[in-house]
């Protein structure tokens, strides 16, 4: 005995009712519930769909789908970080490493000058404004994509929303912990350290806000075979 299309749709609605927002996880849970229900019907063919559904749901425990949501979130965050790391490593390989070195030297020379404090504030301000601007644009893009597909995919949300949150948190930490004093330009280790931080921060922002979103379609099709459908 197989589930009907209307019963499958009911299971999707059931997962949404229990706080599963992302279509990819909804599909996995619906598949799991459907298999469980059909197995029950082999032993209890007179069992109603609703009762079988509720019995299958009880197997997830008192917290329902929350553990499944957490596990899926961890898996997608790990996948996103792997994309981020893969792109970052390219900037330390030929020929991109030349651009990385030039960027580091710009920061190093700037922080070695007598107006290091002013330049640090300027660089921080530019990166912060650009981060907020790109964050707003990507959020709007995500909303438009969701309206078109009427679905929300977990990795898609990470690509278009997670980058902005992460960068703003990192920026706030940089602002509070790396304060440039008058004696800063006399400390070569501090100069090197801050130059490295700004170089990495700028590369991560560029990767998060430009490179990965531009590759979103390929990454989503690779992760979800049904995404193109």
């Amino acid at each position: 005995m197989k589930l009907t299309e209307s019963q499958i749709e009911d299971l999707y609605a059931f997962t949404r009712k229990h706080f599963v927002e992302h279509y990819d996880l909804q599909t996995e849970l619906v598949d799991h519930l459907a298999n469980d229900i059909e197995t029950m019907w082999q032993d209890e063919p007179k069992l109603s769909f609703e009762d079988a559904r509720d019995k299958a749901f009880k197997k997830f425990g008192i917290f329902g789908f929350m553990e499944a949501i957490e596990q899926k979130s961890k898996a997608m965050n790990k996948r996103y970080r792997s994309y981020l790391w893969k792109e970052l490593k390219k900037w330390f390989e030929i020929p991109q490493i030349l651009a990385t070195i030039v960027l580091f030297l710009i920061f190093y020379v700037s922080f070695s000058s007598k107006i290091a404090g002013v330049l640090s504030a300027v660089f921080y301000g530019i990166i912060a404004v650009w981060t907020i601007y790109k964050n707003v644009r990507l959020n709007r893009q995500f909303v438009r994509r969701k309206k078109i597909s009427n679905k929300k995919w977990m990795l898609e949300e990470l690509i278009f929303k997670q980058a902005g949150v992460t960068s703003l948190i990192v920026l706030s930490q940089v602002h509070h912990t790396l304060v440039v004093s008058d004696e800063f330009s006399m400390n070569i280790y501090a100069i090197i350290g801050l130059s490295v931080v700004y170089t990495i921060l700028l590369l991560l922002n560029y990767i998060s806000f430009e490179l990965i979103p531009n590759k979103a379609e390929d990454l989503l099709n690779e992760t979800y075979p049904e995404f193109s459908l």
Side-chain angles (χ1 to χ4, degrees):
M1 189 173 176
K2 298 291 185 181
L3 271 70
T4 64
E5 289 295 327
S6 62
Q7 289 170 336
I8 294 294
E9 289 302 318
D10 180 273
L11 290 180
Y12 272 102
F14 185 80
T15 60
R16 290 192 293 270
K17 180 182 177 182
H18 288 83
F19 313 108
V20 181
E21 299 179 355
H22 300 92
Y23 182 75
D24 45 330
L25 182 54
Q26 289 174 9
T27 300
E28 290 181 14
L29 292 172
V30 165
D31 185 61
H32 181 87
L33 291 170
N35 288 332
D36 208 0
I37 291 169
E38 290 173 356
T39 300
M40 290 182 199
W41 278 344
Q42 291 178 5
D43 299 325
E44 302 177 75
K46 293 184 179 180
L47 187 67
S48 69
F49 166 73
E50 289 76 13
D51 289 340
R53 180 198 63 196
D54 293 342
K55 287 179 68 175
F57 177 61
K58 285 181 181 179
K59 294 180 180 180
F60 284 88
I62 58 174
F63 296 109
F65 296 134
M66 297 308 296
E67 185 177 348
I69 294 172
E70 184 179 355
Q71 290 177 351
K72 185 70 173 180
S73 178
K74 287 181 179 179
M76 288 299 103
N77 272 284
K78 183 178 180 180
R79 181 179 287 267
Y80 178 80
R81 288 194 299 270
S82 71
Y83 292 143
L84 198 65
W85 176 242
K86 181 179 179 181
E87 292 293 338
L88 181 61
K89 286 195 297 184
K90 291 179 182 178
W91 290 89
F92 294 90
E93 301 171 355
I94 296 175
Q96 289 98 320
I97 193 172
L98 298 177
T100 304
I101 292 172
V102 169
L103 189 61
F104 170 81
L105 290 176
I106 290 173
F107 286 128
Y108 181 82
V109 172
S110 300
F111 297 145
S112 299
S113 69
K114 294 181 179 179
I115 57 171
V118 175
L119 292 175
S120 175
V122 170
F123 289 143
Y124 176 84
I126 292 173
I127 296 174
V129 170
W130 186 74
T131 297
I132 294 171
Y133 167 73
K134 291 297 294 184
N135 185 42
V136 171
R137 286 199 63 184
L138 286 179
N139 269 278
R140 289 177 177 174
Q141 191 175 348
F142 175 73
V143 171
R144 289 196 300 269
R145 291 170 64 95
K146 186 175 179 293
K147 284 182 178 179
I148 293 172
S149 67
N150 199 31
K151 295 181 179 70
K152 184 162 69 170
W153 307 77
M154 194 172 288
L155 181 59
E156 182 181 34
E157 186 171 30
L158 287 174
I159 290 173
F160 288 95
K161 298 187 72 174
Q162 183 71 18
V165 175
T166 302
S167 295
L168 289 173
I169 292 173
V170 173
L171 277 171
S172 66
Q173 294 303 311
V174 170
H175 178 68
H176 288 297
T177 59
L178 297 176
V179 179
V180 179
S181 63
D182 294 336
E183 295 80 21
F184 181 84
S185 60
M186 302 297 292
N187 189 331
I188 187 171
Y189 297 109
I191 295 171
I192 293 174
L194 190 60
S195 300
V196 169
V197 168
Y198 269 88
T199 300
I200 298 297
L201 180 61
L202 203 57
L203 289 175
L204 286 175
N205 275 16
Y206 178 68
I207 293 167
S208 300
F209 289 122
E210 290 290 340
L211 295 184
I212 292 182
N214 289 339
K215 296 181 178 180
E217 300 304 319
D218 292 336
L219 297 177
L220 291 168
N221 280 310
E222 174 188 316
T223 305
Y224 309 117
E226 69 274 26
F227 179 77
S228 59
L229 301 177

